[in-house]
Amino acid sequence: MGEAALLVQAQPDPALDPAEAELAANRMVLALADLLDALALPSIETVVPAISSVLIRYDPLQLTSARLHADLRRIVTRLVPVPATPPRVVTVAVRYGGVFGPDLEEVAALLGITPAEVIRLHTAQIYRVLMIGFTPGFAYAGILPPVLHLPRRSTPRTAVPRGSVAIAAGLTGIYPAVLPGGWHLLGHTELELFDPQREPPCLLRPGDGLQFTLHPNSPVGLL
Amino acid sequence: MNRVARVHDAGLLTTVQDGGRTHALRYGVPQSGAMDRFALAAANLLLGNAPNAAALEITAGGVELELLAPTLFAITGAEVAVTLNGWAVPTWQVVYGGRGMRLALGYRQGDWGAYAYLAVAGGIAVPAVLGSASTYLPGAFGGYAGRKLARGDELHAYPCQRDPAAYVGRAWDVAHRPAYRACPSLRLIAGAHADLFDATTLAQCTNTRYRIAPSSNRMGYRLHSSHALHPARPASIASLGVLPGVIQVPPDGQPILLMADAQTTGGYPIIGVVITADLPLAAQLLPGDQLQFAFTTHTEAVAARAQMQHWLAHAAHLRPPMSAYAVPV
């Protein structure tokens, strides 16, 4: 990735099912990012963990690419993935359907289940925050149960409301600001996802657990 | 903090920028910072500031300021006509302006130039957000209240003691700058997904003149040519970390060159990455300008980066010329 960045890609384990393999790859990616942070090497500027890769930005005048490759090969073989159980779980209360989740009915129809069933499935498990990207504070969390897997909308919206809780491509996320977007909008939260004056600026961080719950004032419920 | 200038005409887009913020990339916060980081560093080093101190980034010229205190300043980057109380003053050189003087930047002369950097001794003072003074306009944070400058804004600088006699007239010679020019050939290293493209397509990428589309901005340049680039086989790519210089190829085959405000992750195939040493050349282009690409090696890219470091290091040896630039009063 240019002369000053190296992309380390985690190979998903073919013995696992794809969702399990992706989660396992993500646990390795976060372990590598944490380790490089802890080492705080002056020649490594920063690391950017993604779902199954880490971008390492370094100064090639202080650390040769060959040396970095060799060091990483040694580090990676001894790497212990971060725990499968997130150390911290963030609970997000969601108003589903109605004006809060304009796509809930359509999603239910596309999947051949009821809106209540979509909500039950969406709130049934603790997701893992796999990465933050696309825009400040946008957490990609997963992995959704297979029945909730849908491709992105064919025509993206030009302005998705801030706080929209959405799903697409096996993942779920929350829009931290008014943004264009192609995910299906199930509901809405009032939580502040991103505040640049806060340290760290994000409510959700890579590796966190994310549990959606039904807001008592949700227009659509479990029944 | 000292008041240093008041804005009378903010031009098209003037923001406070520094070397950028990198410690919040993992939270999706773009790097931001100066588009032309070399010109920013040169302006600061001329004045004895830290290379990444905050300065004004002026897009396409057309700015007028009133100095509110005697000020040592330097303007680098795009070649624009600069006047102090109507008198022409040079760029890439330290100038001393008196209280009440009007500093005006004209529009670009010639066929390249997009961003001029105005640095003042001590550096522009704004509150740091996530470790940086840079403005990130889409997020409305950083810099001057998270926005571009407007008429009436007052700028402050960090206090600093500098003997004008030791700085006025310090100049940055052309031999120690990147080869800024129209239609530059930007060197690139094959990207993470270059192997998705066949040899003909890769050759096409370097045999084409690209024009920067009107929708381009600090986030990236949309590049247009008559040849679209398409992968030889379809591929689904998991979002991965990206950085300024990355060339993404979206489904329409018209590449996007990511710049300072680039998003932190992307899911389009990456055909190549422009080397750090050539990003200043890209930064000094505006929509409508043209550019080309040429593949290079990692070794050459590191050598070019070292060359640029060497140019910046030469600032330590700068001395004011015998005949210091005289300030018209």
Side-chain angles (χ1 to χ4, degrees):
Chain A
M1 293 287 273
E3 91 283 2
L6 183 73
L7 185 73
V8 180
Q9 202 111 36
Q11 288 305 328
D13 185 345
L16 299 173
D17 83 58
E20 286 301 319
E22 196 164 16
L23 288 169
N26 186 251
R27 289 168 55 203
M28 289 300 271
V29 157
L30 293 182
L32 179 57
D34 284 350
L35 179 62
L36 291 173
D37 278 348
L39 294 175
L41 306 170
S43 48
I44 292 184
E45 195 185 354
T46 188
V47 295
V48 188
I51 292 179
S52 58
S53 63
V54 185
L55 184 69
I56 300 171
R57 292 176 57 168
Y58 69 102
D59 180 358
L61 302 180
Q62 291 186 54
L63 174 65
T64 65
S65 144
R67 176 69 198 274
L68 179 57
H69 272 94
D71 287 351
L72 284 171
R73 259 192 292 276
R74 231 182 16 252
I75 287 173
V76 165
T77 52
R78 295 180 199 159
L79 202 59
V80 179
V82 298
T85 310
R88 195 176 89 111
V89 177
V90 177
T91 302
V92 173
V94 181
R95 290 175 161 95
Y96 286 94
V99 292
F100 301 106
D103 298 336
L104 178 64
E105 298 277 342
E106 188 187 315
V107 164
L110 283 168
L111 299 172
I113 55 179
T114 64
E117 187 68 0
V118 172
I119 297 170
R120 196 192 62 75
L121 287 163
H122 193 244
T123 53
Q125 72 178 83
I126 296 172
Y127 301 106
R128 181 183 195 84
V129 175
L130 299 168
M131 70 173 231
I132 298 182
F134 163 55
T135 192
F138 190 99
Y140 291 72
I143 290 175
L144 291 174
V147 61
L148 289 183
H149 286 216
L150 274 178
R152 288 178 177 75
R153 293 170 62 82
S154 48
T155 312
R157 288 183 169 87
T158 52
V160 173
R162 168 200 188 108
S164 294
V165 175
I167 61 167
L171 300 174
T172 181
I174 309 169
Y175 285 83
V178 178
L179 291 159
W183 291 29
H184 305 270
L185 311 184
L186 301 185
H188 182 268
T189 172
E190 279 161 9
L191 288 177
E192 182 90 64
L193 274 300
F194 178 80
D195 176 0
Q197 307 296 345
R198 205 163 53 188
E199 187 70 53
C202 294
L203 179 68
L204 297 165
R205 271 117 65 184
D208 279 350
L210 170 59
Q211 168 81 69
F212 293 106
T213 58
L214 186 65
H215 192 285
N217 297 332
S218 178
V220 181
L222 290 169
L223 296 172
Chain B
M1 243 89 77
N2 308 324
R3 290 199 316 161
V4 65
R6 180 182 296 124
V7 177
H8 283 269
D9 185 343
L12 196 64
L13 171 61
T14 300
T15 55
V16 176
Q17 299 293 345
D18 64 7
R21 51 176 71 78
T22 49
H23 81 272
L25 290 172
R26 70 186 56 191
Y27 301 130
V29 180
Q31 176 176 329
S32 300
M35 286 284 276
D36 181 347
R37 292 182 64 175
F38 182 87
L40 171 79
N44 279 317
L45 291 170
L46 278 170
L47 293 160
N49 295 344
N52 289 326
L56 297 190
E57 180 179 273
I58 296 164
T59 314
V63 164
E64 189 173 343
L65 307 172
E66 176 192 347
L67 300 182
L68 300 177
T71 306
L72 278 172
F73 66 88
I75 294 169
T76 61
E79 291 296 346
V80 290
V82 181
T83 60
L84 192 59
N85 270 5
W87 291 70
V89 297
T91 53
W92 298 85
Q93 187 162 326
V94 177
V95 178
Y96 191 60
R99 189 193 312 272
M101 286 189 175
R102 290 290 186 116
L103 174 63
L105 280 77
Y107 297 97
R108 94 170 178 196
Q109 307 159 314
D111 48 11
W112 65 270
Y115 297 100
Y117 294 86
L118 167 60
V120 298
I124 297 286
V126 292
V129 176
L130 297 171
S132 162
S134 286
T135 315
Y136 177 56
L137 288 175
F141 62 80
Y144 195 99
R147 61 168 172 82
K148 63 180 189 175
L149 294 185
R151 183 182 168 85
D153 288 345
E154 281 192 5
L155 300 164
H156 292 74
Y158 291 107
C160 79
Q161 299 296 326
R162 298 253 198 282
D163 174 13
Y167 283 89
V168 170
R170 275 168 49 126
W172 199 285
D173 62 289
V174 175
H176 291 91
R177 298 176 204 169
Y180 294 116
R181 60 191 181 277
C183 199
S185 181
L186 306 177
R187 289 168 288 180
L188 55 99
I189 298 177
H193 314 112
D195 58 349
L196 292 180
F197 299 87
D198 62 28
T200 319
T201 309
L202 291 174
Q204 210 172 60
C205 176
T206 54
N207 292 334
T208 306
R209 278 192 170 209
Y210 288 98
R211 188 176 293 279
I212 300 173
S215 56
S216 301
N217 55 25
R218 282 179 42 90
M219 284 181 77
Y221 297 166
R222 291 183 171 273
L223 302 175
H224 282 181
S225 80
S226 47
H227 303 286
L229 305 173
H230 291 294
R233 53 179 199 279
S236 144
I237 293 165
S239 284
L240 68 156
V242 294
L243 73 166
V246 158
I247 304 167
Q248 296 184 322
V249 182
D252 70 1
Q254 303 288 349
I256 298 171
L257 170 59
L258 300 182
M259 298 299 286
D261 277 345
Q263 57 189 65
T264 57
T265 59
Y268 293 135
I270 297 168
I271 194 168
V273 184
V274 173
I275 71 173
T276 311
D278 285 354
L279 283 177
L281 305 181
Q284 289 299 349
L285 302 173
L286 286 171
D289 288 341
Q290 291 182 302
L291 59 80
Q292 299 176 89
F293 294 117
F295 280 103
T296 189
T297 60
H298 183 86
T299 307
E300 196 189 330
V302 174
R305 187 185 178 97
Q307 170 78 268
M308 187 158 280
Q309 284 298 323
H310 169 74
W311 289 340
L312 292 172
H314 107 290
H317 310 295
L318 286 176
R319 295 282 176 271
M322 292 296 286
S323 56
Y325 182 77
V327 183
V329 191

